Amino acid sequence: MAARSAGTLVYRKRAEAIEVLLVHPGGPFWQNRDLGAWSVPKGEYADHEDAEATARREFTEETGWTIAGVMTPLGDIRQKAGKTVTAFAAECDFNPATLASNSFEMEWPPRSGRVASFPEVDRAGWFSLADAHEKIIEGQRPLLDRLEELLGGV
């Protein structure tokens, strides 16, 4: 069975425009990648778990911030590798300078026998919808379109 994740597309309204918060994955594989590398904060969940509760939990784990307000379903998308992402939209405002992500460990450099720790998310940023279309991984682009439709193209 393909993996399932739940995530949150956070947005804010600025000067008649919508901005979305995206996160950049941490670790050496993603270090020098930018366009097509950013994502909504998300994480995997099991059959017995609630998608919205997972999206809230994963957002907090990856950013250090909490979403207390309403989350609106954006539906499911399927990424190239086969993972299904159930997404929600939430209007919030966070300062990317206060990002506090959890971390993971992996052998680095490969076959060195040394284990290094890396943040799961190494940075976050606010982007216009046009810029976000370039930054976000291809499989998540439909979420931006769904958000724009939901908000009436503000």
Side-chain angles (χ1 to χ4, degrees):
M1 175 180 223
R4 296 181 317 152
S5 286
T8 308
L9 180 57
V10 169
Y11 68 93
R12 66 184 183 184
K13 297 176 184 173
R14 291 284 190 256
E16 303 299 320
I18 300 167
E19 293 181 337
V20 294
L21 182 78
L22 300 178
V23 296
H24 186 272
F29 178 75
W30 297 100
Q31 184 176 2
N32 296 320
R33 296 175 185 229
D34 186 54
L35 297 180
W38 294 69
S39 175
V40 299
K42 62 179 180 41
E44 291 188 7
Y45 68 105
D47 289 337
H48 67 280
E49 293 180 287
D50 178 70
E52 182 178 330
T54 299
R56 288 179 186 273
R57 178 192 73 225
E58 291 296 326
F59 185 85
T60 300
E61 287 180 4
E62 292 190 2
T63 65
W65 306 315
T66 302
I67 297 174
V70 174
M71 293 177 62
T72 304
L74 291 176
D76 294 345
I77 56 161
R78 189 172 178 91
Q79 297 183 162
K80 281 186 178 182
K83 179 182 285 187
T84 298
V85 177
T86 301
F88 299 86
E91 185 173 10
C92 302
D93 195 1
F94 299 103
N95 180 351
T98 64
L99 178 75
S101 178
N102 57 355
S103 60
F104 67 95
E105 293 184 339
M106 64 182 277
E107 183 180 14
W108 190 257
R111 296 178 290 287
S112 68
R114 290 184 286 169
V115 175
S117 180
F118 300 96
E120 191 169 341
V121 168
D122 62 13
R123 59 190 180 270
W126 289 102
F127 300 97
S128 68
L129 286 172
D131 289 343
H133 267 276
E134 293 183 13
K135 297 280 189 180
I136 201 165
I137 64 171
E138 183 180 355
Q140 293 180 16
R141 287 181 188 150
L143 297 177
L144 301 173
D145 299 332
R146 291 178 190 178
L147 177 66
E148 188 172 24
E149 184 177 314
L150 176 73
L151 299 177
V154 174

